[in-house]
Amino acid sequence: DRGLTQPFFPTLGNHDYGFVPEAQVEYSKKNRQWRMPARYYTQKLTAPDGTTVQLFSLDTQLVQTAVAGAAAEQSAWLDRELAQSDAAWKIVFGHHMLYSNGIYGNLKRMRDAFEKILVKHKVQLYLCGHDHDIQLLKPVEGVSYVVSGGGGGHRDTSWKESTIYAATNMGYVWMAINASGIYLHFYDADGVMKYAHRLG
């Protein structure tokens, strides 16, 4: 058994800032599976059928804790990079949410920094964690929102009008992409698929 061989595209979270976040970036030089060239970055991928996907990773801890200039710097970067992207699917991800029905709820600083840019550039999906649950929320101005924080300790979540699917007690979200859509499968802690959804 050779273990996991696929690449990882990390994003920094609040607990990373309790240590040395730059170590996550430096680790990319030691492990070629760990693809984190900077604290926020973009990566273009090609699916087996030739469909292009571009990932945009944010350092949301700096935005959510209101570090001076962080929101303006990253929002300008994201706006610029999305404007240059010709990928069929654009996925932005960060640790903190814009929208959530979990214990943290919607985060105004995150929405103020990034929501207009996501809508402007027709980003199809924003992925996050932070809330310790799994959620698929109805699109807001064309952008879908997924919370996949089910690897942390159990916390309750709520089903509200904006909820398509939600679960607690651990789990994860699996995703596949081709020309016809983004396929999302929601699994519980035992590896049982509980819900499936296609974007696009």
Side-chain angles (χ1 to χ4, degrees):
D1 181 37
R2 299 176 61 188
L4 297 173
T5 59
Q6 73 269 22
F8 291 82
F9 300 99
T11 191
L12 292 169
N14 54 302
H15 291 290
D16 294 304
Y17 273 84
F19 298 94
V20 182
E22 195 61 29
Q24 304 275 9
V25 176
E26 291 298 310
Y27 187 61
S28 297
K29 299 173 184 176
K30 293 185 170 236
N31 185 337
R32 57 193 177 93
Q33 288 175 255
W34 192 262
R35 311 270 177 95
M36 191 177 192
R39 293 193 187 194
Y40 53 94
Y41 61 93
T42 184
Q43 174 72 53
K44 192 170 183 180
L45 306 171
T46 303
D49 69 348
T51 301
T52 53
V53 182
Q54 192 157 354
L55 306 176
F56 303 84
S57 174
L58 302 173
D59 184 357
T60 62
Q61 179 67 9
L62 299 180
V63 175
Q64 185 57 24
T65 56
V67 171
E73 180 181 309
Q74 283 192 65
S75 61
W77 170 84
L78 183 62
D79 190 25
R80 183 173 63 251
E81 293 294 332
L82 283 167
Q84 295 172 359
S85 176
D86 61 356
W89 300 103
K90 301 176 184 72
I91 299 173
V92 179
F93 63 102
H95 184 72
H96 294 85
M97 65 284 293
L98 277 71
Y99 290 97
S100 172
N101 292 327
I103 65 167
Y104 291 110
N106 304 335
L107 296 183
K108 184 177 185 304
R109 285 178 181 159
M110 288 291 298
R111 290 180 60 197
D112 288 348
F114 301 118
E115 186 169 19
K116 289 181 180 177
I117 296 168
L118 301 182
V119 173
K120 171 184 173 183
H121 295 289
K122 297 179 171 57
V123 169
Q124 292 95 345
L125 177 61
Y126 180 82
L127 296 168
C128 72
H130 201 50
D131 263 334
H132 293 185
D133 56 37
I134 295 172
Q135 300 176 61
L136 171 62
L137 303 178
K138 292 177 183 177
V140 180
E141 296 189 75
V143 183
S144 292
Y145 292 89
V146 168
V147 178
S148 182
H154 167 73
R155 291 179 186 154
D156 290 333
T157 191
S158 300
W159 283 70
K160 297 184 179 179
E161 185 180 344
S162 60
T163 302
I164 296 174
Y165 178 75
T168 60
N169 293 318
M170 314 293 276
Y172 60 94
V173 181
W174 175 91
M175 181 172 64
I177 299 174
N178 61 27
S180 63
I182 299 176
Y183 296 83
L184 299 164
H185 291 184
F186 297 79
Y187 288 85
D188 67 14
D190 296 319
V192 177
M193 189 176 73
K194 309 299 284 188
Y195 186 75
H197 188 85
R198 181 175 70 88
L199 303 177

